[in-house]
Amino acid sequence: MKKIIITALLPLCAFAVSAQTTKKTTPAKKTVASNTAKKTTTPVIFKNNLDSASYSFGTAMAGSLKSNGLTSLNYQLVLKGLQDAFDGKPLLISNELSQTTINNAFKSASQKKFAPVLAEGKAFLENNKKQAGVQVTASGLQYQVLTKGTGIAPKATDTVTVHYKGTLLNGTEFDSSYKRNEPLSLPLNGVIAGWTEGVQLMQTGAKYKFFIPYNLAYGERGAGQDIPPYSTLIFEIELLKVNGK
């Protein structure tokens, strides 16, 4: 599918500077007079392009991290990690463990950021499986037969020709071969798991409606700008032809 893509999050680092403020209070015998010291910060002076670039690296990386759900880091350890790497010192964490911890941090932040999407999908599927005509497979895929087919059923290794329409739970349509007036041929082992499983349930000439949990769709990453992470998707698929391997 033209819009069925997989996007990856690139791990980045963030840097921030904090300022301290002090407060001094002087009590008198019958009256209380307070004297609060003015906040003082050391002005930052960029002496050369390297200084400006260094600060810009920090703000750019922090902005990217925030856009992916991370809101804070241990800034001292961020700085130490940068210094150790630049100085060629032995790293305190192996590269393998570093990647694992970064992935876990992004996953945790993403789940928190998209908690409403997760909750909406779970509630929808729980209610939808109770609707007349909706069937549920062992994987959690839900489907409804709109038109029965009379031809052959494809295998996972087959290429099929289909018409389809995909929408989010709020009804937003993110892709449609009908609008393009152009059926699509694709290998069933090269698409999302919900399609691979679901289309094999169909026979040529059939039209099904699929309700696909996020873990059988685009998972925690989503797809481009149109499909947010953790999205439960709805597809109407019409199996026109089984082309074989």
Side-chain angles (χ1 to χ4, degrees), residues 57-78:
F57 275 126
T59 58
M61 290 188 291
S64 179
L65 287 168
K66 287 181 69 176
S67 69
N68 286 308
L70 284 172
T71 56
S72 66
L73 292 172
N74 185 322
Y75 308 123
Q76 289 182 333
L77 289 178
V78 171

PDB file of all heavy atoms in Angstrom, residues 57-78:
ATOM      1  N   PHE A  57      23.210  22.319  19.340  1.00  0.00           N
ATOM      2  CA  PHE A  57      23.065  20.867  19.399  1.00  0.00           C
ATOM      3  C   PHE A  57      22.153  20.483  20.563  1.00  0.00           C
ATOM      4  O   PHE A  57      21.270  19.627  20.441  1.00  0.00           O
ATOM      5  CB  PHE A  57      24.424  20.185  19.572  1.00  0.00           C
ATOM      6  CG  PHE A  57      25.164  19.947  18.291  1.00  0.00           C
ATOM      7  CD1 PHE A  57      26.463  20.408  18.131  1.00  0.00           C
ATOM      8  CD2 PHE A  57      24.583  19.255  17.245  1.00  0.00           C
ATOM      9  CE1 PHE A  57      27.158  20.197  16.956  1.00  0.00           C
ATOM     10  CE2 PHE A  57      25.260  19.032  16.060  1.00  0.00           C
ATOM     11  CZ  PHE A  57      26.561  19.510  15.915  1.00  0.00           C
ATOM     12  N   GLY A  58      22.376  21.109  21.705  1.00  0.00           N
ATOM     13  CA  GLY A  58      21.568  20.803  22.882  1.00  0.00           C
ATOM     14  C   GLY A  58      20.104  21.107  22.685  1.00  0.00           C
ATOM     15  O   GLY A  58      19.235  20.286  22.985  1.00  0.00           O
ATOM     16  N   THR A  59      19.802  22.311  22.166  1.00  0.00           N
ATOM     17  CA  THR A  59      18.398  22.690  21.982  1.00  0.00           C
ATOM     18  C   THR A  59      17.726  21.845  20.910  1.00  0.00           C
ATOM     19  O   THR A  59      16.555  21.477  21.050  1.00  0.00           O
ATOM     20  CB  THR A  59      18.286  24.178  21.610  1.00  0.00           C
ATOM     21  OG1 THR A  59      19.038  24.436  20.411  1.00  0.00           O
ATOM     22  CG2 THR A  59      18.817  25.059  22.724  1.00  0.00           C
ATOM     23  N   ALA A  60      18.451  21.521  19.847  1.00  0.00           N
ATOM     24  CA  ALA A  60      17.870  20.707  18.771  1.00  0.00           C
ATOM     25  C   ALA A  60      17.554  19.299  19.250  1.00  0.00           C
ATOM     26  O   ALA A  60      16.475  18.752  18.979  1.00  0.00           O
ATOM     27  CB  ALA A  60      18.820  20.662  17.577  1.00  0.00           C
ATOM     28  N   MET A  61      18.495  18.704  19.988  1.00  0.00           N
ATOM     29  CA  MET A  61      18.280  17.341  20.472  1.00  0.00           C
ATOM     30  C   MET A  61      17.164  17.303  21.514  1.00  0.00           C
ATOM     31  O   MET A  61      16.345  16.389  21.528  1.00  0.00           O
ATOM     32  CB  MET A  61      19.579  16.779  21.035  1.00  0.00           C
ATOM     33  CG  MET A  61      20.613  16.498  19.957  1.00  0.00           C
ATOM     34  SD  MET A  61      22.092  15.618  20.548  1.00  0.00           S
ATOM     35  CE  MET A  61      22.859  16.880  21.556  1.00  0.00           C
ATOM     36  N   ALA A  62      17.121  18.329  22.378  1.00  0.00           N
ATOM     37  CA  ALA A  62      16.062  18.379  23.382  1.00  0.00           C
ATOM     38  C   ALA A  62      14.700  18.516  22.724  1.00  0.00           C
ATOM     39  O   ALA A  62      13.728  17.876  23.129  1.00  0.00           O
ATOM     40  CB  ALA A  62      16.301  19.542  24.342  1.00  0.00           C
ATOM     41  N   GLY A  63      14.626  19.333  21.696  1.00  0.00           N
ATOM     42  CA  GLY A  63      13.358  19.499  20.980  1.00  0.00           C
ATOM     43  C   GLY A  63      12.887  18.208  20.351  1.00  0.00           C
ATOM     44  O   GLY A  63      11.697  17.879  20.389  1.00  0.00           O
ATOM     45  N   SER A  64      13.822  17.447  19.785  1.00  0.00           N
ATOM     46  CA  SER A  64      13.465  16.169  19.171  1.00  0.00           C
ATOM     47  C   SER A  64      13.001  15.172  20.219  1.00  0.00           C
ATOM     48  O   SER A  64      12.025  14.448  20.019  1.00  0.00           O
ATOM     49  CB  SER A  64      14.667  15.616  18.406  1.00  0.00           C
ATOM     50  OG  SER A  64      14.363  14.376  17.810  1.00  0.00           O
ATOM     51  N   LEU A  65      13.699  15.139  21.363  1.00  0.00           N
ATOM     52  CA  LEU A  65      13.303  14.234  22.433  1.00  0.00           C
ATOM     53  C   LEU A  65      11.915  14.579  22.963  1.00  0.00           C
ATOM     54  O   LEU A  65      11.080  13.698  23.194  1.00  0.00           O
ATOM     55  CB  LEU A  65      14.321  14.297  23.570  1.00  0.00           C
ATOM     56  CG  LEU A  65      15.673  13.618  23.299  1.00  0.00           C
ATOM     57  CD1 LEU A  65      16.677  14.003  24.373  1.00  0.00           C
ATOM     58  CD2 LEU A  65      15.515  12.115  23.222  1.00  0.00           C
ATOM     59  N   LYS A  66      11.645  15.857  23.160  1.00  0.00           N
ATOM     60  CA  LYS A  66      10.348  16.288  23.680  1.00  0.00           C
ATOM     61  C   LYS A  66       9.228  15.929  22.717  1.00  0.00           C
ATOM     62  O   LYS A  66       8.127  15.559  23.135  1.00  0.00           O
ATOM     63  CB  LYS A  66      10.358  17.791  23.947  1.00  0.00           C
ATOM     64  CG  LYS A  66      11.176  18.190  25.169  1.00  0.00           C
ATOM     65  CD  LYS A  66      11.143  19.694  25.404  1.00  0.00           C
ATOM     66  CE  LYS A  66       9.763  20.145  25.847  1.00  0.00           C
ATOM     67  NZ  LYS A  66       9.749  21.597  26.158  1.00  0.00           N
ATOM     68  N   SER A  67       9.498  16.051  21.427  1.00  0.00           N
ATOM     69  CA  SER A  67       8.464  15.724  20.441  1.00  0.00           C
ATOM     70  C   SER A  67       8.110  14.244  20.466  1.00  0.00           C
ATOM     71  O   SER A  67       7.038  13.848  20.012  1.00  0.00           O
ATOM     72  CB  SER A  67       8.930  16.114  19.036  1.00  0.00           C
ATOM     73  OG  SER A  67       9.986  15.274  18.597  1.00  0.00           O
ATOM     74  N   ASN A  68       9.012  13.416  20.999  1.00  0.00           N
ATOM     75  CA  ASN A  68       8.765  11.977  21.099  1.00  0.00           C
ATOM     76  C   ASN A  68       8.348  11.547  22.494  1.00  0.00           C
ATOM     77  O   ASN A  68       8.327  10.356  22.806  1.00  0.00           O
ATOM     78  CB  ASN A  68      10.017  11.200  20.675  1.00  0.00           C
ATOM     79  CG  ASN A  68      10.236  11.236  19.183  1.00  0.00           C
ATOM     80  OD1 ASN A  68       9.338  10.925  18.409  1.00  0.00           O
ATOM     81  ND2 ASN A  68      11.422  11.635  18.764  1.00  0.00           N
ATOM     82  N   GLY A  69       8.021  12.543  23.351  1.00  0.00           N
ATOM     83  CA  GLY A  69       7.425  12.218  24.633  1.00  0.00           C
ATOM     84  C   GLY A  69       8.335  12.323  25.842  1.00  0.00           C
ATOM     85  O   GLY A  69       7.853  12.284  26.976  1.00  0.00           O
ATOM     86  N   LEU A  70       9.646  12.429  25.648  1.00  0.00           N
ATOM     87  CA  LEU A  70      10.555  12.564  26.786  1.00  0.00           C
ATOM     88  C   LEU A  70      10.543  14.011  27.285  1.00  0.00           C
ATOM     89  O   LEU A  70      10.668  14.940  26.493  1.00  0.00           O
ATOM     90  CB  LEU A  70      11.981  12.172  26.386  1.00  0.00           C
ATOM     91  CG  LEU A  70      12.252  10.674  26.251  1.00  0.00           C
ATOM     92  CD1 LEU A  70      13.641  10.440  25.662  1.00  0.00           C
ATOM     93  CD2 LEU A  70      12.139   9.977  27.588  1.00  0.00           C
ATOM     94  N   THR A  71      10.393  14.197  28.560  1.00  0.00           N
ATOM     95  CA  THR A  71      10.278  15.547  29.101  1.00  0.00           C
ATOM     96  C   THR A  71      11.444  15.951  29.997  1.00  0.00           C
ATOM     97  O   THR A  71      11.615  17.131  30.297  1.00  0.00           O
ATOM     98  CB  THR A  71       8.975  15.692  29.912  1.00  0.00           C
ATOM     99  OG1 THR A  71       8.947  14.692  30.946  1.00  0.00           O
ATOM    100  CG2 THR A  71       7.761  15.505  29.006  1.00  0.00           C
ATOM    101  N   SER A  72      12.253  14.989  30.452  1.00  0.00           N
ATOM    102  CA  SER A  72      13.401  15.334  31.289  1.00  0.00           C
ATOM    103  C   SER A  72      14.427  14.203  31.256  1.00  0.00           C
ATOM    104  O   SER A  72      14.096  13.059  30.944  1.00  0.00           O
ATOM    105  CB  SER A  72      12.960  15.593  32.735  1.00  0.00           C
ATOM    106  OG  SER A  72      12.462  14.394  33.326  1.00  0.00           O
ATOM    107  N   LEU A  73      15.663  14.565  31.581  1.00  0.00           N
ATOM    108  CA  LEU A  73      16.753  13.601  31.670  1.00  0.00           C
ATOM    109  C   LEU A  73      17.623  13.987  32.864  1.00  0.00           C
ATOM    110  O   LEU A  73      17.479  15.076  33.426  1.00  0.00           O
ATOM    111  CB  LEU A  73      17.601  13.623  30.389  1.00  0.00           C
ATOM    112  CG  LEU A  73      16.967  13.111  29.097  1.00  0.00           C
ATOM    113  CD1 LEU A  73      17.897  13.391  27.922  1.00  0.00           C
ATOM    114  CD2 LEU A  73      16.664  11.627  29.179  1.00  0.00           C
ATOM    115  N   ASN A  74      18.542  13.110  33.240  1.00  0.00           N
ATOM    116  CA  ASN A  74      19.558  13.457  34.215  1.00  0.00           C
ATOM    117  C   ASN A  74      20.654  14.190  33.441  1.00  0.00           C
ATOM    118  O   ASN A  74      21.508  13.578  32.810  1.00  0.00           O
ATOM    119  CB  ASN A  74      20.111  12.193  34.887  1.00  0.00           C
ATOM    120  CG  ASN A  74      21.086  12.516  36.006  1.00  0.00           C
ATOM    121  OD1 ASN A  74      21.875  13.446  35.907  1.00  0.00           O
ATOM    122  ND2 ASN A  74      21.024  11.729  37.072  1.00  0.00           N
ATOM    123  N   TYR A  75      20.616  15.520  33.505  1.00  0.00           N
ATOM    124  CA  TYR A  75      21.473  16.326  32.642  1.00  0.00           C
ATOM    125  C   TYR A  75      22.956  16.143  32.938  1.00  0.00           C
ATOM    126  O   TYR A  75      23.792  16.228  32.033  1.00  0.00           O
ATOM    127  CB  TYR A  75      21.071  17.796  32.750  1.00  0.00           C
ATOM    128  CG  TYR A  75      19.601  18.016  32.514  1.00  0.00           C
ATOM    129  CD1 TYR A  75      18.808  18.640  33.475  1.00  0.00           C
ATOM    130  CD2 TYR A  75      18.989  17.566  31.347  1.00  0.00           C
ATOM    131  CE1 TYR A  75      17.450  18.813  33.273  1.00  0.00           C
ATOM    132  CE2 TYR A  75      17.639  17.735  31.128  1.00  0.00           C
ATOM    133  CZ  TYR A  75      16.866  18.362  32.098  1.00  0.00           C
ATOM    134  OH  TYR A  75      15.524  18.525  31.890  1.00  0.00           O
ATOM    135  N   GLN A  76      23.313  15.891  34.207  1.00  0.00           N
ATOM    136  CA  GLN A  76      24.719  15.669  34.546  1.00  0.00           C
ATOM    137  C   GLN A  76      25.255  14.415  33.864  1.00  0.00           C
ATOM    138  O   GLN A  76      26.388  14.389  33.378  1.00  0.00           O
ATOM    139  CB  GLN A  76      24.882  15.556  36.056  1.00  0.00           C
ATOM    140  CG  GLN A  76      24.676  16.877  36.807  1.00  0.00           C
ATOM    141  CD  GLN A  76      24.900  16.740  38.304  1.00  0.00           C
ATOM    142  OE1 GLN A  76      24.723  15.653  38.866  1.00  0.00           O
ATOM    143  NE2 GLN A  76      25.289  17.825  38.945  1.00  0.00           N
ATOM    144  N   LEU A  77      24.413  13.378  33.814  1.00  0.00           N
ATOM    145  CA  LEU A  77      24.851  12.141  33.168  1.00  0.00           C
ATOM    146  C   LEU A  77      24.854  12.273  31.644  1.00  0.00           C
ATOM    147  O   LEU A  77      25.663  11.634  30.969  1.00  0.00           O
ATOM    148  CB  LEU A  77      23.957  10.979  33.606  1.00  0.00           C
ATOM    149  CG  LEU A  77      24.154  10.531  35.058  1.00  0.00           C
ATOM    150  CD1 LEU A  77      23.180   9.407  35.418  1.00  0.00           C
ATOM    151  CD2 LEU A  77      25.589  10.080  35.303  1.00  0.00           C
ATOM    152  N   VAL A  78      23.961  13.097  31.119  1.00  0.00           N
ATOM    153  CA  VAL A  78      24.005  13.377  29.683  1.00  0.00           C
ATOM    154  C   VAL A  78      25.345  14.014  29.338  1.00  0.00           C
ATOM    155  O   VAL A  78      26.020  13.609  28.375  1.00  0.00           O
ATOM    156  CB  VAL A  78      22.852  14.323  29.269  1.00  0.00           C
ATOM    157  CG1 VAL A  78      23.055  14.785  27.824  1.00  0.00           C
ATOM    158  CG2 VAL A  78      21.515  13.616  29.386  1.00  0.00           C
TER     159      VAL A  78
END
